Amino acid sequence: MWLNYALRELLFRRSRSLVTVLSIAVAVIAAVLLTALAASYARAIRAPVETVGADVVVQITGDIPPKLEGLVFPHPNALVPAAATATIGRMAGVISVTRGVYMWELAPDHYQSVLGIEDGEAGLGSLSSRLIAGKPLHPGDRAILLDSDFASKNGVQVGAELDIGGTKFPVAGIVDAARGGKVVRADVYMPLAPAQELAAGAPMVQALYPFRRDDANLLLVKVDRQTLESVVDRTVAMLGKKGIVSSELSFREALSGVLFLSQRMGLIVAVVIGVFAAAFVLRATASAIAERRRELAVLQAVGWPWRLIRRQVLIENGMLALAGVALGVLLAVLIAAALGHISVTLDLPWDLSSTPHFIPDATLDRTQTITVPITVPWEAAVIAAAGGVMVALAAALALAASPPPQPWSLLRSE
Amino acid sequence: MNEAIIQVDGVTKRYGTLAVLNGIDLSVPAGRFAAVIGKSGSGKSTLLGVVSGLEKADSGRVLIQGHDLSQLDEPQMADLRRQTIGIVFQSFNLIPSLSALENVLLPTFFEKEGTAADRRKRATDLLAQVGLGDRMHHRPSQLSGGEQQRVAIARALVNRPAILLADEPTGNLDAETGAGVLGLLLDMSRIFATTLLIVTHDLDVAGKADMTIEMKDGRIQHGNA
């Protein structure tokens, strides 16, 4: 009869029940949707760096070579000392460090960017996943992969040869440029060893740095996401002012306006709505109890102990809360499905995919639009649901804490 | 004479500066029909509240079947009311969201003895006895005043209480209906061998009582048995 009586009572007071259910539902919708949006934005700002299979890109600012000819290091890609690479590799939370050599080849009649990269998830493995023609590269290969845009612009196909720094390399495959994003994007990709050889033999590299055959000028670091911030902080501290340490944190700063809206503001809005909803629930419960003072006195008169009357009020509010939570989650899922996705356009810093300013053909559009589906974060839904139920139960407990002192005054004839 | 089932000794009650009960002493033997009469504001309804335990006396003591109400905590008081006291109110005080049958079942809700089916049968039998066998699934709003008071009487008696308290039970009914309800109340209390303490301003009702207590200004003016 507990549930039967509670259900009858709630249906009998439809308007008040509806207000309570809707208050809880609105709070749940707000909490779930705002969390979903914040999670989508967070995924969006991770995307640029993630597309290269890493969480952090480490570079060091260098100098401009005396002559801009042949193979040169772009100025954000100075030699990264081997000691620094080793230190980063030993940092707590670092899963892997993939070394790379990024170069421009400048000639009177052409320009191409070249990236030599180690094997691994953030290196050759990442390229393999974007292969659209030919075959993947392996660490020992002396072959190259071409960016699809570069290949089509220059009419180069798989099997052809391309001159890089005076050495001819066979084209093993073509990679999909669009899928690769624009971070550390190059026209030509090769295993690390031949790139190191080319750099070690390049006069305009050697003019600035004592680059040897096992050095690198770019690190792709994969980290345990829990430790991202501390790894970035420690790397920045180690490299000093010349260090360029890029991660989703850089994009978070760049997009502070949008993210403020999506995360902090979202949290603030969710909390404000939650507080209002709690106030509504409290008020609705208080009104329901006030309206039912006489009814509760009747229950006392027929011998219901107060703790069981309070349990009845708890059950009623619990039912309202469950209805509100169910409605809220359902509507949040439907709204998220209707919205579908968010699109964020990011301006990538030049450092992350440098091209020579003085060669118009080399100019790269550095805006990247990232589309991320809005998915309901179930942890947030569970927390919002638990919050809704707790608010409703707390309201019932607080307002029905003790029996009215003189129930007879509500029931008597005089 | 039977032993007193209701014993009130020196009970006082004030509402602010207004003294409503001024040292009431009252003894009602088991199985008797006692009527409390008096003008409005004489304290008769407050006396009933104090006897029911729903109103606390400022001083003095109330014994119900030998239990001193001032010594009982809230759950014990609820137990005593559920098992020993049935109350019929002037304004019926039925739960509007529940049917007549469910209203009658309310006091049986925590009964540990017997099955739910037994309790339901007891309630339906009672409703049939008060003439509502065919209207037990109606809500209070679908019943007339007289029918609602019959439901209230059935609810008061469903746990076979030793004491039935009635606070102006015919006050909200027209004369004919009131007479019918009163007759039913008296019949039922006789059938169930219940002590009946009724508050009324109707002298005809008082005339049928075994004992009459007349109250004025919070004092018992006159009592006869």
Side-chain angles (χ1 to χ4, degrees), chain B residues 59-178:
Chain B
S59 63
R61 61 176 194 161
V62 177
L63 300 174
I64 300 292
Q65 282 188 327
H67 298 287
D68 184 347
L69 298 191
S70 65
Q71 300 302 310
L72 302 180
D73 59 18
E74 194 270 335
Q76 289 171 325
M77 187 77 88
D79 283 345
L80 181 78
R81 263 198 301 275
R82 190 171 62 251
Q83 291 160 5
T84 311
I85 304 173
I87 311 174
V88 178
F89 304 95
Q90 178 179 6
S91 48
F92 324 132
N93 285 329
L94 300 178
I95 305 293
S97 60
L98 300 180
S99 69
L101 177 60
E102 287 160 342
N103 266 284
V104 175
L105 282 167
L106 275 178
T108 70
F109 204 43
F110 311 107
E111 208 171 278
K112 293 186 177 86
E113 291 166 16
T115 63
D118 293 338
R119 294 193 285 276
R120 194 177 172 86
K121 183 174 184 318
R122 209 163 73 219
T124 53
D125 288 349
L126 259 172
L127 281 167
Q129 275 182 279
V130 299
L132 291 173
D134 57 343
R135 295 179 74 73
M136 63 177 72
H137 298 297
H138 288 61
R139 280 195 190 164
S141 60
Q142 297 167 312
L143 300 172
S144 68
E147 288 172 328
Q148 288 187 55
Q149 196 60 302
R150 285 163 187 265
V151 175
I153 292 169
R155 181 180 66 186
L157 291 168
V158 72
N159 277 346
R160 311 280 159 91
I163 299 168
L164 186 59
L165 305 178
D167 185 18
E168 299 276 15
T170 60
N172 274 5
L173 304 173
D174 61 63
E176 189 182 345
T177 309

Side-chain angles (χ1 to χ4, degrees), chain A residues 33-348:
Chain A
L33 274 187
L34 289 171
T35 314
L37 285 174
S40 298
Y41 274 110
R43 283 203 303 280
I45 60 167
R46 277 210 299 275
V49 176
E50 246 176 15
T51 49
V52 294
D55 299 297
V56 185
V57 179
V58 179
Q59 297 159 279
I60 294 176
T61 306
D63 296 314
I64 296 170
K67 286 184 188 170
L68 289 168
E69 62 181 34
L71 288 167
V72 299
F73 281 178
H75 82 261
N77 291 91
L79 168 69
V80 176
T85 307
T87 304
I88 293 170
R90 286 194 300 268
M91 283 180 185
V94 170
I95 297 166
S96 66
V97 177
T98 304
R99 295 178 304 154
V101 175
Y102 186 71
M103 298 176 283
W104 295 342
E105 183 169 29
L106 302 166
D109 58 341
H110 77 281
Y111 152 80
Q112 60 202 17
S113 56
V114 178
L115 174 63
I117 192 82
E118 264 183 319
D119 195 17
E121 190 188 342
L124 295 178
S126 163
L127 290 171
S128 301
S129 66
R130 289 182 262 152
L131 199 67
I132 54 172
K135 56 184 184 178
L137 290 180
H138 300 288
D141 290 349
R142 294 191 65 82
I144 55 175
L145 298 177
L146 298 184
D147 178 281
S148 56
D149 286 352
F150 177 83
S152 60
K153 191 168 141 191
N154 292 283
V156 185
Q157 293 181 336
V158 174
E161 285 194 327
L162 196 71
D163 189 303
I164 299 166
T167 306
K168 292 205 177 299
F169 288 88
V171 177
I174 309 286
V175 290
D176 181 354
R179 241 193 316 150
K182 291 173 182 170
V183 169
V184 200
R185 180 175 171 182
D187 300 321
V188 179
Y189 300 93
M190 62 174 63
L192 181 62
Q196 287 171 319
E197 273 175 38
L198 289 171
M204 287 304 113
V205 172
Q206 293 301 319
L208 293 176
Y209 314 108
F211 192 93
R212 291 169 304 180
R213 287 189 168 203
D214 59 348
D215 283 332
N217 67 356
L218 169 77
L219 303 178
L220 301 178
V221 185
K222 192 143 188 68
V223 304
D224 174 355
R225 290 193 48 74
Q226 305 289 329
T227 61
L228 176 66
E229 216 158 324
S230 89
V231 169
V232 168
D233 288 347
R234 279 179 288 163
T235 307
V236 167
M238 180 181 72
L239 297 179
K241 284 185 181 173
K242 290 204 163 186
I244 305 170
V245 182
S246 307
S247 70
E248 64 181 80
L249 303 176
S250 332
F251 293 100
R252 196 183 291 175
E253 283 163 22
L255 281 172
S256 58
V258 174
L259 289 171
F260 178 74
L261 276 175
S262 69
Q263 292 182 319
R264 288 190 191 162
M265 200 61 183
L267 185 65
I268 291 167
V269 171
V271 167
V272 168
I273 292 173
V275 167
F276 270 98
F280 266 109
V281 170
L282 198 67
R283 188 175 159 73
T285 307
S287 301
I289 289 176
E291 262 179 29
R292 294 176 64 197
R293 274 171 60 215
R294 187 170 178 148
E295 185 176 318
L296 300 183
V298 171
L299 295 179
Q300 284 183 277
V302 299
W304 283 38
W306 186 257
R307 67 183 170 83
L308 297 179
I309 295 174
R310 188 174 56 208
R311 186 193 290 180
Q312 187 67 26
V313 176
L314 267 178
I315 288 173
E316 288 173 18
N317 262 33
M319 288 170 83
L320 290 176
L322 288 177
V325 161
L327 181 67
V329 170
L330 178 69
L331 288 177
V333 169
L334 290 177
I335 294 169
L339 291 174
H341 61 265
I342 57 155
S343 288
V344 182
T345 300
L346 299 169
D347 285 321
L348 302 181

